[in-house]
Amino acid sequence: ERMVQNTTTEPSGSQKLVLVAGATGYLGKFLVRECKARGFRVRALARSENKLGWARKDVDEVFVGEATDPTSLEGICEGVDTVITSLGITRQTDKVSYDDVDYRANSTLISLARKANVRRFIFISVFAAEKTAFTDMVGARERAVKELTSGNGMEWVVVRPTGFFVDMKEFLDMAVAGRVWMLGDGSSQLNPIHGADLAEVCADAIGGKADEELCVGGPQVVSQREIGEIAFQVAGGKPACTGVPIWTMTRIVLPCLRLFARRIWNPLAMMTTMAKDGAVAPKHGQRRLVDFFREEMQARRQTQDDNLK
């Protein structure tokens, strides 16, 4: 069956049903937990129950389907009050493209939500999309956003985070290796946000103002260089941060990658734009990047210890 009920929870007619699409991803799991904590019933889209990991206990209904297969999604929005989608991919592969997931899968959900008379649709896109819409990933998401915001009959909210803590793990990886590479001189600023803090914003949007865009960042504004220094503080060792001139990226590296390695070009083009312009949005949340890095290092050490046993 497509719908798998959680037998440990009791249904309540007074609880609104929230559908979380992208529930198996980094942000999606936090969305599931936050919605459940707010007293909503949660339906999660997943290819299988196992993909939900630690968030499974907070899911009332698992809708088993494939986001890129519209026929497998029929009925997914029935009885739903609000849809929250974080569906998207970070890297394109031979099997799936940004157009397949970031645009088409979300477009299908929007259509199905309208068909089922869903009250509100919350779409998580990216901050300052007008600057990076030339990339395949952001361009695909913004096509879906346009379909959502230009249609009638359903309330919408578009949430635009500056970036996630999990995206900053590359700084920690470089610090562990001994040198952090930055784009430009490292002075560009951003305020990335923890997934749990962004989930709070999305849950607030279920009952907040309709038909608006919310730009959201974390509580701490930091430069690339400061992120590198925080990474070294956690990883250990003397900070060693080296900048790569922006012009080498825009004039040499990116044009070549766009022609011969588009999968690499997409995320790197976004990073280069951020390095030039920064990404600072209104602050939200309490969680700090240094604590996230510490938790990540502790998890890595625990994994190493387990592997030695």
Side-chain angles (χ1 to χ4, degrees):
E1 295 183 3
R2 283 185 183 170
M3 197 80 75
V4 180
Q5 302 283 343
N6 187 343
T7 57
T8 64
T9 60
E10 289 293 331
S12 171
S14 63
Q15 291 178 311
K16 292 181 179 179
L17 180 61
V18 175
L19 168 65
V20 178
T24 60
Y26 166 74
L27 175 60
K29 292 184 176 71
F30 289 113
L31 289 170
V32 165
R33 186 175 71 180
E34 185 64 26
C35 288
K36 188 62 179 177
R38 300 282 184 107
F40 297 107
R41 286 185 58 76
V42 178
R43 177 183 295 169
L45 169 62
R47 281 174 289 176
S48 71
E49 285 188 81
N50 295 336
K51 296 286 186 181
L52 289 164
W54 56 262
R56 177 63 183 92
K57 68 181 187 308
D58 293 318
V59 175
D60 297 286
E61 303 172 0
V62 180
F63 189 97
V64 180
E66 179 59 60
T68 55
D69 178 11
T71 60
S72 74
L73 301 181
E74 286 296 330
I76 191 172
C77 292
E78 295 302 322
V80 170
D81 173 79
T82 300
V83 174
I84 307 178
T85 178
S86 59
L87 274 176
I89 56 174
T90 55
R91 297 289 168 91
Q92 190 163 272
T93 68
D94 291 332
K95 294 182 178 180
V96 67
S97 68
Y98 294 116
D99 186 71
D100 292 332
V101 181
D102 292 73
Y103 170 60
R104 294 187 186 280
N106 282 307
S107 177
T108 297
L109 279 177
I110 292 168
S111 296
L112 291 173
R114 285 202 171 101
K115 180 180 176 181
N117 295 316
V118 167
R119 179 184 64 87
R120 179 167 294 195
F121 197 105
I122 300 172
F123 192 107
I124 294 125
S125 190
V126 298
F127 177 70
E130 69 279 1
K131 296 180 180 179
T132 53
F134 65 90
T135 63
D136 298 330
M137 180 177 72
V138 179
R141 295 194 75 76
E142 289 306 296
R143 285 163 61 199
V145 167
K146 186 176 181 180
E147 286 188 6
L148 174 64
T149 58
S150 61
N152 297 317
M154 184 169 63
E155 298 174 355
W156 56 266
V157 176
V158 178
V159 180
R160 298 188 176 279
T162 54
F164 300 126
F165 280 5
V166 70
D167 299 326
M168 303 298 114
K169 287 200 295 185
E170 292 186 12
F171 282 88
L172 189 59
D173 295 337
M174 290 187 286
V176 170
R179 182 168 298 276
V180 168
W181 295 92
M182 309 172 299
L183 294 174
D185 62 5
S187 63
S188 61
Q189 294 185 315
L190 63 158
N191 59 330
I193 188 168
H194 193 286
D197 286 335
L198 185 60
E200 293 177 357
V201 174
C202 295
D204 288 342
I206 293 173
K209 184 180 177 181
D211 303 343
E212 69 168 355
E213 299 196 5
L214 300 173
C215 295
V216 186
Q220 182 182 16
V221 177
V222 288
S223 67
Q224 282 188 82
R225 185 175 296 277
E226 287 171 331
I227 295 174
E229 291 170 351
I230 293 170
F232 275 110
Q233 175 187 337
V234 173
K238 184 178 179 180
C241 300
T242 303
V244 177
I246 292 289
W247 68 266
T248 64
M249 299 299 297
T250 57
R251 298 180 187 178
I252 301 174
V253 178
L254 289 176
C256 292
L257 290 176
R258 187 169 190 172
L259 288 173
F260 304 111
R262 202 171 181 91
R263 296 178 192 174
I264 301 174
W265 170 78
N266 270 287
L268 198 55
M270 288 188 63
M271 290 170 57
T272 302
T273 301
M274 184 182 296
K276 288 191 298 181
D277 302 330
V280 178
K283 298 177 181 179
H284 181 87
Q286 302 294 327
R287 295 167 177 84
R288 301 185 308 155
L289 185 59
V290 64
D291 296 323
F292 175 80
F293 280 167
R294 284 171 179 156
E295 291 170 2
E296 177 65 20
M297 283 299 296
Q298 183 177 359
R300 294 182 185 186
R301 288 170 182 142
Q302 184 61 54
T303 299
Q304 291 175 349
D305 292 342
D306 293 342
N307 290 337
L308 292 174
K309 292 179 181 179

